[in-house]
Amino acid sequence: MRLLIMGAPGAGKGTQAKGIAAHYEIPAISTGDIFRANVKNQTALGKEVQRIMAAGDYVPDEITNAIVEDRLGQPDAEIGFLLDGYPRTVVQVGALDEMLHKLDQELDAVVSLDVDPEVLIARLLKRAELENRADDTEETIRRRMEVYTAETEPLLAMYRERDLLVPVDGMGDVDEVLERIVAALDAKVG
Ligand code: AMP
């Protein structure tokens, strides 16, 4: 299984990615997690992306693409993977296409998690309380929503045209949504 999971900030991508990856026994690769780990450890990369992330902006494509290419080349990703939070721009879509072409691989499906906008904001504000993420302040949340709408939402149409999009209702509790995703993926990919 080679999958992407997409959705607005707060749609539950990270949580569902873990469940999907466990179900299909593939690694979940989150660019956000990779960046956060680098910020935490204050690596050169971490220092470079820290301010960008805290502002709710996107890390430049060249940096992000290089990280994903490196990660997809690792042995555990040979059997499949789930990319969480990548691609997020049209340029990243092109870069991923090239990476997969080089690896002689193809995507099987792109899950889009659909959640009402008011629920997204409420979830993000709750996560701000629980996880203390630097990019979950009210101002940054607004900025991340804007960037998502401008840069990432258009990718859904691109994957729909490729007949890869699997839209799933992301409202409800975690297990219920996971069941929906797995049922939709099994129906699509078999
Ligand atoms: P996430 O955990 O996926 O919400 O990502 C947190 C932050 O990391 C984002 O708001 C961006 O600043 C950065 N980030 C993660 N993935 C990407 C990506 N594919 N392209 C650019 N920036 C990213």
Side-chain angles (χ1 to χ4, degrees):
M1 277 289 221
R2 296 189 173 87
L3 306 170
L4 310 182
I5 184 162
M6 298 186 51
K13 289 189 300 291
T15 305
Q16 293 302 334
K18 290 188 185 88
I20 299 166
H23 181 86
Y24 293 108
E25 300 183 321
I26 49 177
I29 300 172
S30 156
T31 43
D33 281 353
I34 294 171
F35 289 138
R36 271 186 292 280
N38 277 275
V39 170
K40 194 169 163 215
N41 296 322
Q42 284 293 293
T43 65
L45 171 68
K47 287 179 185 161
E48 202 173 340
V49 302
Q50 189 159 19
R51 243 169 307 156
I52 299 172
M53 289 177 75
D57 288 318
Y58 283 173
V59 174
D61 288 329
E62 316 84 77
I63 297 178
T64 310
N65 291 335
I67 281 168
V68 173
E69 179 149 35
D70 177 72
R71 184 63 189 84
L72 289 183
Q74 288 171 27
D76 66 328
E78 265 170 42
I79 52 153
F81 54 79
L82 168 64
L83 282 169
D84 158 20
Y86 182 93
R88 266 175 151 105
T89 66
V90 173
V91 170
Q92 292 179 16
V93 170
L96 177 61
D97 286 341
E98 267 183 45
M99 287 175 220
L100 294 178
H101 183 74
K102 274 197 232 165
L103 292 166
D104 202 18
Q105 296 174 352
E106 273 182 21
L107 291 176
D108 293 297
V110 177
V111 175
S112 87
L113 269 184
D114 303 332
V115 172
D116 292 346
E118 320 83 74
V119 176
L120 295 175
I121 306 277
R123 283 190 188 172
L124 287 168
L125 290 172
K126 190 170 160 208
R127 186 171 75 185
E129 261 174 53
L130 297 176
E131 292 180 21
N132 209 13
R133 262 177 62 158
D135 60 352
D136 274 343
T137 65
E138 210 170 319
E139 193 192 333
T140 313
I141 288 171
R142 204 173 315 120
R143 175 72 191 142
R144 285 164 64 212
M145 290 295 180
E146 283 170 11
V147 176
Y148 173 80
T149 305
E151 303 273 343
T152 307
E153 213 170 49
L155 308 192
L156 295 175
M158 295 175 68
Y159 286 118
R160 189 180 304 118
E161 271 168 35
R162 296 187 191 184
D163 199 24
L164 287 173
L165 199 70
V166 176
V168 177
D169 176 3
M171 310 276 284
D173 71 41
V174 172
D175 295 336
E176 200 181 319
V177 175
L178 179 61
E179 271 178 37
R180 255 180 240 149
I181 294 172
V182 168
L185 281 174
D186 286 346
K188 164 99 186 147
V189 181

